[in-house]
């Protein structure tokens, strides 16, 4: 069988399996008196993924909301989904009935980040990973990183001088470089460019259809993901050959008493970098926007920072103690976290059939809490 024939056969099998799944869902729906939320599911397997990502996602969701209301069904990234966008529905899923939903992601995202990553688990394993992550970002662990972070900030500012730039994209680059220091420590300087190249490829395929065939974004992303795992394996091997004390996240994961496998370590390093990069970059971009919109606050923050710089000798770096002298800057950050939309949406999966306002959300459906993000990338 030639390549095209094999592709058609595999695609036909995938469509058939999806049809069986939809039929099973329809039968379950007909066995109750309550319907699924209104909406459309698009084509088998691909659903409405192309309609979602061929334009600004806000346009797609806004059109659905106008037609079906704040709760509707759709099918994206290989997953049947129920989209909720009202504060009441979000509170129902995330707070009131949170025990009926578990954190989840589309299967394609799990494959890219790694199934052992903290985001895809609950219970004891999740709790252990959470403690390891928090330990790596406690004051004692990060106080010595302040000069390195300042150096990255200065390098970024110098590279922006006299150029027109996309703020969010530049914040992603800055955040990525800071994340590498926090996660890999001094080892990051030897691998920064290779890690960055692989991450950019992975990012391009992150929201692609999970079709792992040569030439597709998903296939390229999975190859980059494999290369990332190999880079991390090399770092792990070198650290074991030359054991020493490390206070970074990788060092926290490598603690013998924790008993994490190399696969678990790699999945969580890749996942943490990916998650921290986008969310932190979003916060930083919102901070810059709010400061630009409020000149008085910008002037006050600038004065606070300049007062700290005035007390430093020429060429002297910032210290952990200096960060304690920034109360106004800290309040700006806290207010930004309160007011801004950091994430556009989050995924949950029903652990049992759930009723909401006379409609059913079935266990094989993902529930997506969507919040319109007005910050343009």
């Amino acid at each position: 069988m030639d390549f095209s024939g094999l592709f058609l056969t595999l695609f036909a099998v995938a469509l058939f399996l999806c049809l069986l799944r939809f039929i099973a869902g329809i039968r379950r729906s007909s066995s109750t008196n309550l319907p699924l939320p209104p909406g459309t599911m698009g084509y088998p397997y691909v659903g409405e993924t192309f309609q979602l990502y061929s334009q600004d996602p806000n346009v797609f969701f806004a059109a659905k909301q106008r037609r079906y209301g704040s709760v509707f069904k759709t099918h994206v990234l290989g997953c049947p989904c129920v989209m909720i966008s009202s504060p009441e529905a979000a509170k129902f899923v995330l707070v009131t009935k949170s025990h009926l939903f578990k954190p989840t992601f589309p299967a394609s995202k799990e494959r890219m980040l790694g199934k052992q990553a903290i985001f895809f688990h609950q219970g004891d394993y999740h709790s252990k990973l959470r403690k390891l992550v928090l330990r790596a970002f406690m004051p004692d662990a990060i106080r010595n990183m302040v000069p390195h972070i300042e150096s990255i900030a200065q390098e970024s500012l110098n590279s922006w001088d006299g150029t027109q730039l996309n703020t969010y994209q530049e914040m992603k680059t800055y955040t990525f470089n800071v994340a590498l220091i926090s996660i890999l420590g001094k080892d990051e300087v030897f691998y920064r460019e290779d890690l960055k190249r692989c991450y950019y490829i992975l990012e391009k395929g992150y929201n692609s259809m999970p079709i792992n065939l040569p030439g597709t974004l998903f296939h390229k992303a999975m190859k980059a993901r494999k290369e990332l795992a190999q880079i991390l394996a090399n770092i792990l091997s070198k650290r074991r050959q030359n054991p020493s004390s490390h206070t970074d996240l990788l060092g926290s994961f490598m603690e013998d008493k924790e008993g994490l496998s190399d696969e678990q370590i790699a999945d969580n390093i890749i996942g943490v970098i990916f998650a921290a990069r986008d969310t932190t970059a979003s916060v930083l971009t919102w901070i810059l926007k709010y400061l630009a919109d409020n000149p008085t606050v910008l002037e006050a923050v600038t004065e606070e920072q300049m007062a700290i710089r005035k007390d430093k000798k020429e060429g002297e770096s910032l210290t952990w103690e200096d960060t304690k002298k920034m109360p106004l800057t800290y309040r700006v950050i806290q207010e930004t976290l309160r007011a801004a939309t950091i994430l556009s949406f989050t995924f949950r999966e029903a652990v049992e059939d759930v009723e909401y306002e006379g409609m059913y959300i079935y266990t094989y459906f993902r529930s997506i809490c969507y919040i319109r993000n007005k910050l343009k990338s």
Side-chain angles (χ1 to χ4, degrees):
M1 180 182 295
D2 61 15
F3 180 80
S4 60
L6 177 62
F7 171 76
L8 290 174
T9 300
L10 293 174
F11 192 66
V13 171
L15 290 179
F16 178 70
L17 293 175
C18 287
L19 285 172
L20 288 179
R21 195 177 189 190
F22 284 130
I23 291 171
I26 292 172
R27 286 178 176 173
R28 291 182 69 184
S29 178
S30 62
S31 66
T32 71
N33 294 324
L34 297 176
L36 288 168
T40 54
M41 304 296 283
Y43 298 104
Y45 187 65
V46 298
E48 298 180 310
T49 304
F50 295 139
Q51 294 95 312
L52 172 62
Y53 289 112
S54 63
Q55 58 186 333
D56 184 341
N58 285 327
V59 175
F60 174 84
F61 292 131
K64 290 286 187 179
Q65 286 177 271
R66 286 193 299 269
R67 183 171 182 181
Y68 301 113
S70 62
V71 181
F72 57 88
K73 66 175 181 284
T74 184
H75 189 281
V76 295
L77 297 174
C79 299
C81 304
V82 171
M83 181 71 65
I84 61 176
S85 57
S86 69
E88 296 77 18
K91 183 178 181 180
F92 176 84
V93 172
L94 300 176
V95 181
T96 309
K97 298 294 183 180
S98 61
H99 61 286
L100 299 179
F101 298 87
K102 64 178 182 179
T104 188
F105 285 83
S108 59
K109 297 183 185 292
E110 291 186 20
R111 290 174 63 185
M112 286 187 191
L113 299 184
K115 294 184 178 181
Q116 299 298 323
I118 185 174
F119 320 109
F120 311 130
H121 293 271
Q122 293 178 294
D124 293 341
Y125 179 67
H126 179 276
S127 298
K128 179 172 74 171
L129 289 173
R130 181 179 173 84
K131 290 178 181 178
L132 293 176
V133 172
L134 291 176
R135 183 172 68 187
F137 292 97
M138 295 295 286
D140 288 341
I142 65 175
R143 66 172 62 246
N144 294 327
M145 297 180 188
V146 174
H148 301 292
I149 296 173
E150 182 189 20
S151 176
I152 293 175
Q154 290 176 340
E155 290 176 7
S156 298
L157 289 170
N158 292 335
S159 69
W160 301 338
D161 188 31
T163 63
Q164 185 175 7
L165 50 85
N166 181 305
T167 305
Y168 180 53
Q169 294 302 323
E170 293 299 329
M171 290 299 102
K172 288 171 72 172
T173 299
Y174 168 74
T175 302
F176 182 81
N177 292 334
V178 171
L180 289 185
I181 290 180
S182 305
I183 294 171
L184 302 179
K186 295 180 180 179
D187 292 331
E188 68 87 22
V189 69
F190 303 109
Y191 302 95
R192 181 188 297 179
E193 294 307 315
D194 285 338
L195 288 168
K196 188 182 298 184
R197 174 179 53 79
C198 291
Y199 258 91
Y200 286 167
I201 298 173
L202 187 66
E203 182 182 42
K204 288 181 179 179
Y206 188 63
N207 291 319
S208 63
M209 283 297 300
I211 301 174
N212 199 8
L213 292 173
T216 63
L217 288 175
F218 185 80
H219 182 76
K220 294 176 182 178
M222 292 305 296
K223 286 184 65 177
R225 203 269 176 213
K226 185 176 180 180
E227 187 175 350
L228 280 171
Q230 185 58 53
I231 293 172
L232 290 171
N234 292 337
I235 298 174
L236 287 169
S237 177
K238 289 183 178 180
R239 284 202 177 187
R240 291 187 176 117
Q241 292 173 8
N242 301 286
S244 60
S245 178
H246 294 278
T247 59
D248 50 46
L249 181 60
L250 181 59
S252 182
F253 283 153
M254 289 180 67
E255 290 283 343
D256 290 338
K257 61 183 179 181
E258 304 302 341
L260 294 178
S261 68
D262 284 5
E263 179 186 4
Q264 289 173 322
I265 292 174
D267 286 359
N268 281 284
I269 291 294
I270 292 171
V272 168
I273 294 177
F274 204 97
R277 180 170 176 251
D278 285 356
T279 54
T280 307
S282 179
V283 174
L284 292 174
T285 306
W286 277 109
I287 289 174
L288 292 176
K289 180 186 184 303
Y290 287 148
L291 288 175
D293 292 343
N294 297 272
T296 303
V297 178
L298 174 58
E299 182 179 357
V301 170
T302 302
E303 289 178 357
E304 181 177 77
Q305 295 296 316
M306 293 305 295
I308 296 173
R309 173 54 60 192
K310 187 177 180 180
D311 292 335
K312 312 290 289 186
K313 297 178 182 179
E314 184 175 355
E316 185 180 359
S317 298
L318 288 173
T319 65
W320 176 257
E321 287 68 29
D322 291 327
T323 66
K324 303 298 183 181
K325 305 172 185 177
M326 305 177 183
L328 180 58
T329 303
Y330 178 76
R331 290 200 294 271
V332 168
I333 295 172
Q334 292 299 106
E335 180 62 12
T336 300
L337 291 171
R338 185 195 68 80
T341 301
I342 307 305
L343 290 175
S344 295
F345 48 81
T346 184
F347 293 90
R348 292 293 186 271
E349 183 175 358
V351 297
E352 62 182 67
D353 293 351
V354 179
E355 178 188 349
Y356 178 73
E357 292 189 350
M359 298 174 287
Y360 258 124
I361 302 174
Y362 289 116
T363 52
Y364 70 91
F365 271 70
R366 259 59 169 189
S367 178
I368 306 177
C369 298
Y370 168 69
I371 304 171
R372 186 174 183 181
N373 193 337
K374 297 180 180 179
L375 181 62
K376 301 296 183 182
S377 63

